[in-house]
Amino acid sequence: MSFKTNINSRKLALIKLLNVIEIHEGEIIKALYDDFKKPAFESVITETNYIISELKTTIKNIHSWSKPKLILPSLLNFPSTDYIYKEPYGKVLIIAPWNYPYQLALSPLIAAVAAGNQVVLKPSELTPNTSRILHKIICETFNENHVKAIEGGVEVAQELLSQRWDYIFFTGSVAVGKIVALAAAKNLTPVTLELGGKSPCIVEETANLKIAAKRIVWGKFLNAGQTCIAPDYLIVSEKVKSKFIDLLKTEITLAYGENPEQSDDFARIINQKNWLRLKAMLENQTVIAGGNINPTTLYIAPTLLDTPKLDSLAMSDEIFGPLLPILSYKNETNLCQIISNYEKPLSLYVFTENKTFAKKIIQEYSFGGGCINDVLVHFANNRLPFGGVGNSGIGAYHGKRSFAIFSHHKAIVKKGNWLDIPIRYAPYDGKLTRFGRFLKWF
């Protein structure tokens, strides 16, 4: 029996992957540092530990997730037993991003393997050191007919997308996500698109401002702001804006020192192209903290921007870097005007002690997921779905849902032969009149 249907062989492959990863964890952390100076602590909590936890959860639950699910049958089919069977789609393509190049490559791969698929992984060419260690790990773990890593740039990705797949999983920008969706549409290939957008962070006047500042600084400047669910911009009640800016400045200093460029806890921008894009966003802005840059080391300081115009570069596109625009609002109408200016975001955050306000924000706006009085941490619970809506993505995964998205759910009715109710068979003459009231129960 092949890996496609044998649950035990899938489990053994994942156990082997776990062992190989644990052997190479130090190399993974070094590769992430070499690619863009990612601090070791950030690499552990957001990359290596996350994947180890994901593997252990999947290994523990793979048998229960794989079992056919017994479903309440329809009365019309009496007597019957109904099931949902989970079967692999077949050949799966995973295209991984550069910002969390290890975690966002292996997390979907683990689920695809658990569900019984053959997998081709395309790591990001922008993180060559991490890409190489991923290739090494996969070669040491899997037969290449089962799982294969293919390194390369845009041309390789285009070549892969030109082929026929049974499922495509892509994490990256909205622009490239549309290209992937178009390629998939040619063969009606199902896709999961994990994209991004301008994720707002609302700070209401009743919020615990000190805790809000600490948590926002952590979430925004983690990975130098290169996080798809980072707060993209703040909308602060005008009643507390001045005080809150002072608290943000204090928390930046506490986290990274007087000169963040010398901090071992602050990453760098991935490449010159993205550095120049962020540099352009700084032009003609009111910088109230940070703003220092270094083209040689691709450094951009944790930076606060005061009231940028909505048509400026910083407010037109997802920032994906350590620049934090700060807007203010007077009332909920004003707040709505700002948020509604953009497509549905991947995340939304609100800081408040007003439960009514929090509930209204969560219910009124459409977004992938988010937090009340924190940022990013919804991603850490694998019992919660993670994914976007509208322009911020298609589909959601994590934990059991990851297994589900890489599985076709096949409906089966097992009909008993000990009774065969004749009402469904022709001839139908007179049956509608005789059984009309009874048929309404079906």
Side-chain angles (χ1 to χ4, degrees):
M1 191 178 291
S2 74
F3 60 83
K4 292 182 180 180
T5 55
N6 190 325
I7 308 302
N8 285 328
S9 66
R10 302 180 202 174
K11 185 174 182 178
L12 288 173
L14 294 175
I15 291 171
K16 185 177 181 181
L17 177 60
L18 176 60
N19 293 333
V20 172
I21 283 172
E22 290 177 335
I23 290 169
H24 292 297
E25 185 173 14
E27 295 175 62
I28 297 161
I29 293 168
K30 183 179 185 302
L32 290 163
Y33 181 83
D34 291 342
D35 280 329
F36 54 118
K37 300 295 185 291
K38 180 173 283 197
F41 183 79
E42 289 187 8
S43 294
V44 170
I45 64 169
T46 66
E47 305 254 19
T48 60
N49 268 16
Y50 183 91
I51 289 301
I52 288 171
S53 176
E54 188 88 352
L55 267 169
K56 289 180 177 178
T57 298
T58 305
I59 291 166
K60 179 182 178 181
N61 292 288
I62 187 171
H63 282 285
S64 63
W65 292 349
S66 303
K67 286 180 180 178
K69 183 178 180 181
L70 186 63
I71 301 297
L72 185 69
S74 166
L75 186 60
L76 183 64
N77 287 333
F78 181 82
S80 73
T81 309
D82 295 7
Y83 301 90
I84 295 175
Y85 280 79
K86 295 106 173 184
E87 68 175 16
Y89 275 103
K91 295 181 179 180
V92 170
L93 173 64
I94 297 172
I95 301 178
W98 56 263
N99 61 324
Y100 291 88
Y102 176 77
Q103 183 226 118
L104 294 177
L106 286 186
S107 182
L109 184 145
I110 290 164
V113 170
N117 298 282
Q118 292 175 287
V119 184
V120 170
L121 169 67
K122 162 63 176 68
S124 175
E125 72 279 10
L126 300 185
T127 49
N129 296 289
T130 306
S131 180
R132 279 194 292 271
I133 190 65
L134 279 168
H135 186 274
K136 180 179 179 180
I137 288 169
I138 287 170
C139 287
E140 290 183 13
T141 304
F142 300 100
N143 181 296
E144 69 170 9
N145 292 323
H146 184 188
V147 179
K148 187 174 184 178
I150 298 179
E151 297 180 87
V154 175
E155 298 80 8
V156 171
Q158 290 173 338
E159 172 60 27
L160 288 170
L161 285 171
S162 70
Q163 300 174 26
R164 183 163 189 161
W165 302 92
D166 297 303
Y167 203 96
I168 297 175
F169 189 104
F170 170 80
T171 306
S173 69
V174 175
V176 180
K178 292 178 180 179
I179 295 171
V180 172
L182 186 62
K186 293 178 181 177
N187 293 308
L188 297 179
T189 302
V191 296
T192 293
L193 303 177
E194 297 297 337
L195 308 177
K198 293 192 74 64
S199 297
C201 181
I202 303 161
V203 181
E204 195 254 354
E205 62 184 282
T206 66
N208 184 319
L209 298 182
K210 182 171 175 54
I211 290 179
K214 190 178 189 69
R215 292 174 179 175
I216 290 169
V217 165
W218 169 75
K220 175 61 182 181
F221 300 116
L222 182 79
N223 207 36
Q226 298 165 119
T227 303
C228 60
I229 54 173
D232 194 85
Y233 62 101
L234 301 186
I235 317 174
V236 185
S237 168
E238 64 177 12
K239 296 177 182 178
V240 297
K241 181 184 175 185
S242 179
K243 181 180 179 180
F244 192 64
I245 287 173
D246 290 339
L247 289 169
L248 288 171
K249 291 177 182 178
T250 298
E251 291 299 332
I252 291 172
T253 302
L254 288 172
Y256 305 111
E258 293 292 342
N259 184 1
E261 190 170 9
Q262 296 177 354
S263 173
D264 293 330
D265 299 322
F266 189 70
R268 296 297 182 264
I269 306 307
I270 186 64
N271 59 14
Q272 186 181 46
K273 179 182 177 181
N274 280 277
W275 185 89
L276 290 170
R277 180 182 60 83
L278 291 165
K279 177 177 177 290
M281 289 184 180
L282 283 170
E283 295 176 5
N284 302 316
Q285 295 291 351
T286 302
V287 176
I288 51 178
N292 302 316
I293 61 176
N294 187 335
T296 303
T297 60
L298 300 180
Y299 168 76
I300 294 182
T303 299
L304 305 179
L305 305 177
D306 189 22
T307 320
K309 294 180 179 179
L310 294 185
D311 60 356
S312 66
L313 281 178
M315 292 305 298
S316 298
D317 297 317
E318 182 180 4
I319 291 173
F320 224 68
L323 312 180
L324 183 57
I326 304 173
L327 308 177
S328 61
Y329 74 97
K330 295 180 180 180
N331 50 48
E332 291 182 25
T333 300
N334 185 212
L335 185 64
C336 180
Q337 289 171 343
I338 297 171
I339 295 175
S340 300
N341 195 56
Y342 302 100
E343 296 282 356
K344 297 175 182 179
L346 184 56
S347 297
L348 182 147
Y349 307 108
V350 55
F351 286 83
T352 180
E353 293 298 311
N354 184 332
K355 293 181 181 179
T356 302
F357 179 80
K359 184 178 181 180
K360 187 173 183 180
I361 293 296
I362 295 302
Q363 292 180 340
E364 185 167 336
Y365 297 102
S366 179
F367 54 94
C371 306
I372 299 169
N373 293 327
D374 210 340
V375 296
L376 273 61
V377 295
H378 61 296
F379 184 92
N381 185 352
N382 66 16
R383 289 174 290 276
L384 290 174
F386 177 77
V389 60
N391 262 36
S392 59
I394 298 172
Y397 71 122
H398 278 189
K400 188 176 181 179
R401 287 178 179 83
S402 295
F403 184 92
I405 66 165
F406 287 108
S407 303
H408 167 59
H409 291 210
K410 183 187 290 182
I412 299 294
V413 173
K414 182 182 178 182
K415 193 70 183 289
N417 291 327
W418 60 270
L419 179 66
D420 193 25
I421 299 174
I423 189 174
R424 66 176 179 174
Y425 300 111
Y428 305 125
D429 185 43
K431 286 185 177 180
L432 194 60
T433 302
R434 283 181 289 153
F435 299 110
R437 185 180 298 273
F438 176 70
L439 290 172
K440 292 179 181 179
W441 288 95
F442 294 98

